[in-house]
Structure formats: structure tokens, C-alpha cells
């Protein structure tokens, strides 16, 4: 089956077509995402309370459920020009390999040194920190993509950057750590002896290799305790989805340029930043009743917050120092099984996406990791890009949907988010090649135990 | 000093502007590169002799000093569309950092999974092997960029790919090895017990960690001894420079589009594939007397073939199974000091570039590695791309030339080749960060020893 190639392999927008405003999907949501709550009083967090942790303008963005468009400051637009627009790729080679009538596109966010879409929000958060006259920011990182992105952004604006890196990643991924050092960041393995919460966790769980929730607690403690510092986060928050809307806006502009309308939009979902960004303008049309897309969130079967979690208020971190967020969650002390290698390890899901999912505006599926790596390897071989394990969740479902089209003969148009590259994830690929990867999935009993520890919020 | 930004940060050609022919600079050379010689008879290698080692059509390209343009087969053009055109970037951020009146451009070849320009020739060589009906190809790899590129190309055409990887790299760069495995290649540490020449080298030098020259010998032996296999090489050869001309042709087309004429063109030089490709159309104009560019080859001070070698016939490999090539060389058993971390480790230089250098058509400079990594880190911080150590040699000299412009006030236009990314080179960056890098340079006495062992060719 030969494929007609009227559309380029890679659609690049012009530099002057990069969006100049972010799109705030909350403005179009009838049911707004639930507010963050003070963990002590269970009352909605005020701007003032949030301002102790986050930068002022980011707090405003976090709380803004009304303004549909937020201008992108010129300095951020300039930085975007260093690596954006990112290409929208027509996956001709994958289509040929699958012999599917489906038309497959992917938005590739990996062509920058952080290796993922995370840079889109990192540069925004660093900008507002600089604008506020801060000395620096603190954050956590797991696999290291967010930490790298933030290091790059802070280096650009001359800000200090303190990264708490989940200890197991710190030890297993020395190269990620070294990239962050190249950009001048300080990287501390978490849990550490440098914070109260770190010492407490170490005392309670000697020998722990850490978790994202624990690293968040340490980063927040340091931000709150050091004048001139604030905490920044790479996913989950409303503000992050806002910044990541640049992915979806570019995707839509590129498709519109060629008169292409997608039938299905697919993204991997950990905290939700990539998926939320990719789908935002399409979801906007859907919310306004203008179009009807199928939107699919893909998560690991070993960390299934949407498909097997509950929609409830929960802690965002292990140390319980952060506000409570209403989200699909597995419980704040849930940690995926040690053999899980595909990223997307966060216990909860963005409040915006949680609300949209609860409202039936999008679907969710979970996939076992060996099938994810099978898709990753096939994709690498035919499309020439070695994908991040995270991104490969979306590849898996895109392939599955394309194969359904092959059965039915439907010429559906699929778009998925290829969030990044897997160059720092070769340990996971090695596990896969050597047959050392299993598909452990938490039992209902295990999940019930975590769920039983959710905070009681009226 | 504010910079006017009429030219985009990144100039992307359209897909239909990707070259459809390669440019053969030899057609415009008055003094042709010296022919390869049979190591036994010292007579020029015939097409038939070369055909035992290389694919037929590649032999024809190797020997073709006359045809100025060679059509790029459609299958290769299609593959190029997966990752080409590559961007020509205006380094506004670097210019601002340096506060230089110089205008700096770089052609970035790192946006593909092999991480470098090597893919441009790998896909061509795999294509001709496939066309000839071969089962597979053999090759050597040092840092691993070439091996990765060839693995990707072979996977695309369904060819077997046997890579001999210099043992020290095989052990220190398990992730590179794993990328090659992802693309289905077999990777053997060299020297190995699987070849005669490997066993001989191991017997003579027990515990050796290998060299490129040694891995070449093993790969050639396996190719010659296995029906349906040929040997392919990622640099040095005329055919490789021909394929890499796509870099220069795109660069020139992008500059022409904006009416920009470079004053100085700078590239790193190991075997010469990147430099030879980048400069080719510009060199053509210079050879034809149409334009006069300064062209600068940059090599490591620890492996200075152009600046401190001799122009003579030498072996291309340690095992002395390959043809003799006339080139600037340090001697075929020269190996850079163990502390050398910047790549570009080959003892000789492309015969084409050697002849051009000998004819005074280009300059060469050598740079010590700590200054290279200083440039790499500065570049990473301001331009947002973590460069390969190899590429950083060119960055170093581009910065030096830009600083000269700052002194003189000249608004020169510089173009350099950014051949790839350094994601698999973080051990080298770590050495640099921890102050464990020295600038050892071979003494005249050492070089004289290697030179004394050059073959005697009349």
C-alpha cells in the first residue's frame, strides 16, 4: 500500500506563527477544577497563602478560571524561539509499517536539551521568579527531565536553582545530574539530611530510595524557609497546563494550515502537563460544542490514577506540607512497583484533567509496560526517534487505534504527543531487551489500603 | 548592545528544498586527492580490488573525481525527510553573551537519534548495500555516533549490522551500545577473540582497551570473510565527504535565501566528514575562483593530524589490512593520551581535505581540551543545546574569532558546524566539572617515534 504524500513529513510553523498568548482551558469549563485547600483548615487557599510558596504572577495564573488568553511575555517568546516551533510530524513510515489507512501525526517536543516539553513551563516559571526579583527557585525531579528543563531556564535568567532529585534516580542517572550541573544547578538526592522533612522520612524509613512526593516536600520546605526563594513544579498545577497549551496551539495551527481535522488525540499522562497542553485548544472547541474529538489519556498500568484511582481531595506530597488538591488519586503514599520503568509515577492527576475526565470529556486507558516498550522500539526503528518511555505510552495507544482502523478500513486521523527522547533512559531499554521487565499491576487490595489513608475532607 | 533580529533564530528550508544531488568537490579540485594504494603492491587500488571490501556503487563514488553532481536516490531522499532539513541557527544569544559585532550562524546536525551528522552517510551506504542485495555490513565505532547512525540506517533497510566498538567505549558507554541494540545491531567490543587480527592484537597487547584503527581491522576482516557482507566507514573516505555535502548545500541554500555571505567557515575535524561536508559548496566556489572564504579546520591539540602531522601515505588501520591513503597523519599506531575526552581521535585526515590543506585552500588550528569544554558549557547555557565534545572544538574557535571581531569592531559573518549533541558524553563533562581534565599534548619526540614507523611508499 503506497501512501500519497501531499503533506510534508514535518510541518514547521514559521517563527512568527509561534503563539503569543497561552490558552486557559478553565475559561471554557462549565465545571471549574476544584480549588486547592489549606491542609490545616480545609479552606480554599488564598492568593496570599499561595504566595508564600509560589511566585506572585504564577499564583494569579493558578487561580485564574476566567481569562481565556494570557499574553506570553516577550522574554519567554524569545526563549521559545530557541527551540520552538516544534515539528508536527506525519508518521508516514509508521503508517507504512502498520499498513494502516489511519493518518498518524505526532507533535515532537524532544528537540531541546531538556529532552522534553518540560522546558515550555520551566522558562515561564523562571521568568516570573526573575521578574519578582527572587534569588532562586527550588524543585523536585524524578527521571530528571523537569530538573534539566528548570536548570536551563534558571541559567538563562541567572537564577539559582536547587533541585531535589529522587535518590534512586540520582544514583541510577548520574548523567542527568551532570547535565543539570552543566547548567549550574545544585542537585541533592532526596530524601536528604538537609531538611526537617527529609530527616523525618529517613528516620521513619531508613534506606528509602525516595519518591517524588517526598522530594516535593523537601523542595517546598527549602523554598518557604529561605528568603528570596519560591517553589516551582513541573506538572499537575493549573499554571503548568496553561504554559503547556503552547503545544496544543502549535499543533492546531499546523493542522489548520493543511486543513486537517483530527478524530482522536492521544497523550501520555503522569501529572498531566503534556496531555493538558496538547489537548487544550481541542478541548476548548469540544467544551464550547464546536467540535467533537475523542481524547485519550494513557497511563501506566502500574500507576493508574485515572483508571483505578478515586476523585477526591488528597495531599500533593508525602510530607503533607503542600495544599490539598482534588484529583484522581491513588493516595499520596502510593509508589509504583520497583520494576516499573516507564516514568509517569505520580500518584495523582492534574485537577483540570481530573474534572474533565469526571465530566466525561475524555477517556483514559492504562497499558502494561512491556507493550509500551514494544511500541517504543518499533517506533524508534521506523520513525528514527528513540522515544522517552513516558511518550511511548501514547505511541502504544496510537498504534492500537491505527490497527483498529486497519480492521475496519476507517481512515481516521490520529494525533499524539511525543513528549521527549529516551537518551537518558537506556537502563529501562536494557531491561526490556534482556527480558527483565515484568508487568506487575497493583491489586485491588493494595490500592484499597492506600485509599483508606486519604484525608477526610467534607 | 541590542541585536536587530531580521533573520529568524532558526532558518528551516522547506522539504522540497532539500538537495536532490550531492556535490562532489573533487570535480573542482585542480590537484585531485591521491589515490588509495594496495598495501602490498603500492599500486592504485582498482575498482575490482575495492569491491571486495566496499559496495559497488560506493566504490564508483570513491573513485569519481570528475562528476560534479551525483543524484541522491529517492529512497535516501525520503529518509532524509525524517530528520532533514536541519536548522541553520542564528546564534543571537551567543552574540549577546559575547557582546560581539560578529554575526554567528551554526548548522545543527544533532536533531536525530544518532545525535550527529553521521546519519547522512550511513543511510546512503546502507542503501547501496541493500541495492546490491547484500545481507549486511560491518563497521567500527569509537564514541558510538557512527555505530548508532549505521544501526538506524540498517534497521530502516532490513540489513544486518555488525559493529566493532572500541573496548574502552563499549565499557564506558553502555547506553550507546543499548541504543544500537534497540536498532537491532550486534555490538562486539574490540579487540575481540572473534577475528584473527583481534586475537593477534590481544596476544601482542594483553589488556589493551582498543583503538579505532584496531576496530577497523576487525570489521574489514569480517566483511571480507563473510559472503554477502561489505565494510562501511563513517569518515575519511571520499564517498563519505560526498554524502555529507548535503550539510553544506543546505547551509548555503539557507544563507542564500537571506542574502548572507559568510566570511569564515569553521568545522571540527577528526576524519574530516563533517568539515568536508559543511565546506564543500563554499570550497567549490573558492576553487573556481568565484568567492574567497576563510575556512578553518579545528582539531584537538592532543590529536593534531593537520597541524603537526605529515602529508604522506599511511595505513588507515592498525592491522594494516586496509588500503594506504595519502593524508595528513600522525602514524597509524598513534593513540591520543588516555585523558583525552573530546573525540576526534583518528590518526589521519580525509585525503580530500589533506590535499586542500596542502594546497593552502584552508587553515587548521588545534585547541586544548579544557578550553573546548569551557566553550561547550558557555554555549549550552546561552544557546540551550548541550553540544558534543567534537562539535565544541568548532564552537571554541567560533567564539575566539567573534572575540577578535569585538576587538576590531568588524561585523564578520561566521558559520560553524554543530555536528551533534553530547547526551552520551556526560562522563567527559563530569571530568571537566570536577577539574580532572588536563591538557596533555604529545611532545615532538613522541610524534617523531610514530612518524618513523610510516610505510615507505615511493
Amino acid at each position: 500500500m503506497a501512501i500519497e504524500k501531499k503533506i510534508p513529513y514535518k510541518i514547521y510553523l514559521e517563527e512568527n506563527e509561534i503563539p503569543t498568548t497561552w490558552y486557559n482551558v478553565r475559561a471554557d469549563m462549565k465545571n471549574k477544577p476544584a480549588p486547592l485547600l489549606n491542609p490545616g483548615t480545609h479552606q480554599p487557599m488564598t492568593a496570599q497563602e499561595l504566595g508564600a510558596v509560589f511566585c506572585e504572577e504564577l499564583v494569579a495564573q493558578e487561580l485564574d478560571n476566567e481569562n481565556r488568553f494570557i499574553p506570553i511575555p516577550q522574554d519567554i517568546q524569545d526563549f521559545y524561539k530557541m527551540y520552538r516551533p516544534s515539528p508536527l510530524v506525519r508518521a508516514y513510515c509508521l503508517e507504512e509499517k502498520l499498513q494502516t489507512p489511519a493518518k498518524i501525526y505526532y507533535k515532537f517536543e524532544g528537540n531541546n536539551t531538556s529532552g522534553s516539553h518540560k522546558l515550555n513551563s520551566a522558562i515561564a516559571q523562571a521568568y516570573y521568579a526573575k521578574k519578582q526579583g527572587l534569588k532562586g527557585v527550588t524543585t523536585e525531579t524524578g527521571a530528571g527531565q523537569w530538573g534539566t528543563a528548570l536548570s536551563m531556564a534558571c541559567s538563562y535568567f541567572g537564577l539559582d536553582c536547587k533541585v531535589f532529585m529522587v535518590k534512586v534516580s540520582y544514583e541510577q542517572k548520574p548523567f542527568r545530574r551532570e547535565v543539570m550541573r552543566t547548567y549550574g544547578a545544585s542537585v541533592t538526592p532526596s530524601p536528604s539530611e538537609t531538611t526537617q522533612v527529609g530527616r523525618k522520612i529517613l528516620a521513619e524509613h531508613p534506606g528509602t530510595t525516595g519518591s517524588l512526593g517526598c522530594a516535593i516536600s523537601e523542595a517546598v520546605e527549602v523554598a518557604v524557609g529561605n528568603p528570596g526563594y519560591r517553589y516551582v513544579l513541573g506538572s499537575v498545577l493549573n499554571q503548568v497546563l496553561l504554559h503547556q497549551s503552547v503545544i496544543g496551539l502549535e499543533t492546531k495551527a499546523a493542522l489548520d494550515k493543511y486543513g486537517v481535522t483530527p478524530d482522536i488525540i492521544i497523550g501520555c499522562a503522569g501529572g498531566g502537563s503534556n496531555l493538558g497542553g496538547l489537548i487544550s485548544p481541542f478541548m476548548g472547541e469540544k467544551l464550547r460544542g464546536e467540535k467533537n474529538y475523542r481524547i485519550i489519556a494513557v497511563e501506566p498500568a502500574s500507576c493508574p490514577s485515572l483508571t483505578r484511582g478515586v476523585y477526591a481531595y488528597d495531599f500533593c506530597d508525602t510530607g503533607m506540607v503542600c495544599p490539598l488538591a482534588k484529583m484522581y488519586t491513588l493516595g499520596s503514599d502510593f509508589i509504583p512497583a520497583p520494576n516499573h520503568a516507564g516514568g509517569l509515577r505520580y500518584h495523582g492527576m492534574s485537577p483540570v484533567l481530573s474534572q474533565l475526565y469526571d465530566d466525561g470529556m475524555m477517556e483514559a486507558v492504562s497499558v502494561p509496560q512491556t507493550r509500551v516498550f514494544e511500541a517504543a522500539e518499533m517506533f524508534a526503528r521506523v520513525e528514527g526517534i528513540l522515544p522517552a518511555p513516558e511518550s511511548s505510552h501514547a505511541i502504544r495507544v496510537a498504534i492500537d487505534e491505527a490497527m483498529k482502523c486497519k480492521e475496519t478500513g476507517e481512515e481516521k486521523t490520529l494525533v499524539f504527543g511525543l513528549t521527549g527522547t529516551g537518551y537518558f533512559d537506556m537502563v529501562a531499554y536494557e531491561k526490556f531487551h534482556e527480558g527483565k521487565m515484568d508487568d506487575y499491576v497493583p491489586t485491588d487490595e493494595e490500592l484499597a489500603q492506600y485509599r483508606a489513608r486519604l484525608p477526610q475532607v467534607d
Side-chain angles (χ1 to χ4, degrees), chain A residues 279-356:
Chain A
I279 67 174
S280 58
F282 303 99
M283 183 59 87
E285 291 184 310
K286 192 168 176 174
L287 287 164
R288 297 190 301 270
E290 296 163 10
K291 287 272 175 62
N292 192 16
Y293 307 101
R294 270 187 74 197
I295 294 173
I296 307 177
V298 189
E299 57 185 17
S302 46
C303 191
S305 59
L306 284 173
T307 50
R308 296 177 68 199
V310 288
Y311 190 31
Y313 268 104
D314 194 8
F315 295 102
C316 295
D317 63 327
T318 310
M320 306 179 182
V321 300
C322 290
L324 297 172
K326 190 174 179 191
M327 54 188 178
Y328 275 83
T329 180
L330 298 162
S332 65
D333 53 355
F334 176 85
I335 297 178
N339 204 321
H340 173 69
L344 309 172
R345 306 170 64 91
Y346 191 63
H347 66 274
M349 181 58 63
S350 139
V352 167
L353 292 182
S354 292
Q355 184 62 50
L356 289 167

Side-chain angles (χ1 to χ4, degrees), chain A residues 55 58 79 82 114 118-119 121-131 134-139 146-163 179-186 228-233:
Chain A
C55 304
L58 292 168
F79 188 88
M82 281 169 56
S114 80
K118 296 281 184 182
L119 198 52
S121 183
I123 192 61
Q125 297 193 47
Y127 167 81
Y128 291 114
K130 184 72 182 178
K131 195 177 165 202
L134 298 178
K135 280 188 224 162
V137 293
T138 72
T139 199
W146 168 247
T148 310
L150 190 68
S151 305
M152 292 175 69
C154 286
S155 161
Y156 187 76
F157 285 123
L159 285 166
D160 184 35
C161 179
K162 296 184 195 299
V163 180
V179 178
M180 290 185 256
R181 280 175 69 186
T182 301
Y183 286 94
S186 75
Y229 282 79
R230 291 294 185 282
Y231 168 71
V232 297
L233 180 65

Side-chain angles (χ1 to χ4, degrees), chain A residues 228-247:
Chain A
Y229 282 79
R230 291 294 185 282
Y231 168 71
V232 297
L233 180 65
S235 190
V236 182
L237 296 174
N238 299 344
Q239 60 188 267
V240 178
L241 268 70
L242 174 70
H243 307 147
Q244 295 295 358
S245 68
V246 70
I247 305 173

Side-chain angles (χ1 to χ4, degrees), chain A residues 24 26-29 32 63-70:
Chain A
N24 181 7
R26 285 166 282 161
D28 283 310
M29 290 170 70
K32 306 293 181 192
L63 298 175
D64 184 346
N65 287 341
E66 305 306 327
N67 287 299
R68 187 171 281 143
F69 295 103
I70 313 278

Side-chain angles (χ1 to χ4, degrees), chain A residues 28-201:
Chain A
D28 283 310
M29 290 170 70
K30 213 173 99 185
N31 300 323
K32 306 293 181 192
L36 298 172
L37 299 186
N38 181 307
T41 64
H42 291 189
Q43 292 303 305
M45 292 285 285
T46 63
Q48 199 184 352
E49 285 174 320
L50 287 169
V53 179
F54 299 113
C55 304
E56 283 162 24
E57 291 209 39
L58 292 168
V59 169
Q61 292 178 0
E62 191 65 28
L63 298 175
D64 184 346
N65 287 341
E66 305 306 327
N67 287 299
R68 187 171 281 143
F69 295 103
I70 313 278
I72 304 176
Q74 188 61 47
D75 281 352
I76 300 176
Q77 288 190 41
D78 285 347
F79 188 88
Y80 278 170
K81 286 177 192 159
M82 281 169 56
Y83 69 102
R84 307 201 70 84
S86 70
L88 180 71
V89 186
R90 175 72 185 269
Y92 284 122
C93 299
L94 180 60
E95 292 171 27
E96 261 165 4
K97 172 80 178 173
L98 300 175
Q99 290 288 300
T100 173
K103 295 165 185 20
I104 309 175
Y105 294 82
Y106 56 91
K107 180 69 168 170
F108 180 43
E109 292 287 318
N111 272 349
N112 72 75
T113 282
S114 80
S116 82
H117 66 293
K118 296 281 184 182
L119 198 52
N120 301 329
S121 183
I123 192 61
Q125 297 193 47
Y127 167 81
Y128 291 114
K130 184 72 182 178
K131 195 177 165 202
Q132 195 173 327
L134 298 178
K135 280 188 224 162
V137 293
T138 72
T139 199
E140 79 296 328
T141 200
Q145 290 179 332
W146 168 247
T148 310
L150 190 68
S151 305
M152 292 175 69
C154 286
S155 161
Y156 187 76
F157 285 123
L159 285 166
D160 184 35
C161 179
K162 296 184 195 299
V163 180
F164 287 87
M165 186 171 188
V166 176
K167 191 180 277 174
V168 61
S169 298
Y170 181 89
E171 284 162 3
Q172 287 181 359
K173 297 194 169 193
F175 296 165
R176 269 284 181 203
R177 186 182 73 203
E178 213 51 45
V179 178
M180 290 185 256
R181 280 175 69 186
T182 301
Y183 286 94
S186 75
V187 187
T188 306
S190 166
S192 75
E193 294 285 351
T194 68
T195 64
Q196 279 187 1
V197 65
R199 288 189 292 272
K200 181 160 175 277
I201 291 167

